[in-house]
Amino acid sequence: EIVLTQSPATLSLSPGERATLSCRASQSVSSYLAWYQQKPGQAPRLLIYDASNRATGIPARFSGSGSGTDFTLTISSLEPEDFAVYYCQQRSNSITFGQGTRLEIK
Amino acid sequence: QLQLQESGPGLVKPSETLSLTCTVSGGSVSRNSYYWGWMRQPPGKGLEWIGHISYGGSTYYNPSLKSRATVFVDTAKNQFSLRLSPVTAADTAVYYCVRLIMTGTNFDPWGQGTLVTVSS
């Protein structure tokens, strides 16, 4: 099973700041990596698929990069509605999720 | 716009069978480009893939569930379903149905989720 490790576990930032979230895979997943945002009581929302493609309706401030084992989700300038939990997910070998990064208001 | 909606009992007894159905609207489960799948999330924890099925009936399951899960599709009703048996308290979770693209990681949309509690 491919293990995805997200860091940091919690990220404390202010609106307007840049957020950088990391996801590292235990073995190469090529570009088969996605990022989700989840708010309390809601289903996960797909942000980025295939490492760097924004899903339909996702604002341009969200971007994804990386390939192989190291991936990054960047939010260029945080809006109040961006504070949530973020998960990465791979589909290269079976399907697994990272443990999540909580993005909280500083 | 494609929408998915889960339905089923919110309470299941230990050792019994959990049965959930996902109704698809605004699209068809008969499209060859997609799989139809289930994910779950225990309260306060992360996400876990359960399994998925193609229109043609090919199925894929999380090995950690040790053959307890079955996913099947009903094209006449435009629905797909999950059965998990036998259940324990560890199966208490919010269950989500989701559309998966056949190649790649575009898993969208998701249903709103339904909480299933396993308790006597």
Side-chain angles (χ1 to χ4, degrees):
Chain A
E1 175 181 296
I2 295 178
V3 176
L4 298 179
T5 303
Q6 294 187 240
S7 61
T10 303
L11 185 58
S12 300
L13 294 170
S14 301
E17 290 193 294
R18 181 183 186 91
T20 302
L21 286 69
S22 175
C23 178
R24 176 163 290 179
S26 59
Q27 63 189 76
S28 177
V29 299
S30 184
S31 294
Y32 291 122
L33 191 107
W35 290 94
Y36 295 86
Q37 177 194 70
Q38 189 176 34
K39 297 180 180 179
Q42 296 185 15
R45 175 193 183 196
L46 178 68
L47 300 174
I48 303 289
Y49 65 94
D50 297 348
S52 60
N53 296 290
R54 267 191 306 276
T56 302
I58 301 303
R61 64 181 182 273
F62 291 92
S63 64
S65 63
S67 66
T69 60
D70 290 298
F71 299 86
T72 301
L73 174 69
T74 302
I75 310 172
S76 59
S77 179
L78 285 165
E79 298 287 341
E81 62 267 27
D82 297 337
F83 293 91
V85 178
Y86 291 82
Y87 293 97
C88 58
Q89 169 247 312
Q90 67 81 25
R91 194 223 180 130
S92 174
N93 182 332
S94 188
I95 297 172
T96 56
F97 292 85
Q99 83 281 13
T101 289
R102 180 177 304 277
L103 178 56
E104 64 177 26
I105 299 177
K106 188 174 181 179
Chain B
Q1 181 181 355
L2 189 77
Q3 292 186 314
L4 307 180
Q5 178 68 57
E6 305 90 350
S7 60
L11 181 64
V12 181
K13 290 182 168 56
S15 80
E16 296 191 346
T17 298
L18 179 159
S19 295
L20 295 174
T21 294
C22 183
T23 299
V24 179
S25 58
S28 173
V29 297
S30 301
R31 285 196 66 181
N32 288 331
S33 305
Y34 299 101
Y35 293 116
W36 306 92
W38 293 91
M39 312 288 179
R40 70 180 181 179
Q41 186 172 35
K45 297 187 178 180
L47 295 158
E48 180 183 36
W49 165 64
I50 299 172
H52 56 271
I53 188 169
S54 70
Y55 160 62
S58 298
T59 52
Y60 308 84
Y61 297 108
N62 188 329
S64 70
L65 293 173
K66 298 179 181 177
S67 304
R68 295 191 297 126
T70 304
V71 179
F72 54 97
V73 64
D74 185 336
T75 56
K77 294 183 177 179
N78 212 32
Q79 296 174 333
F80 61 102
S81 299
L82 169 70
R83 287 191 185 143
L84 186 65
S85 182
V87 296
T88 70
D91 295 311
T92 293
V94 175
Y95 286 75
Y96 298 99
C97 57
V98 60
R99 184 183 70 173
L100 296 72
I101 198 165
M102 279 206 163
T103 302
T105 53
N106 190 333
F107 295 2
D108 185 67
W110 292 53
Q112 66 183 26
T114 187
L115 174 63
V116 178
T117 301
V118 179
S119 175
S120 55

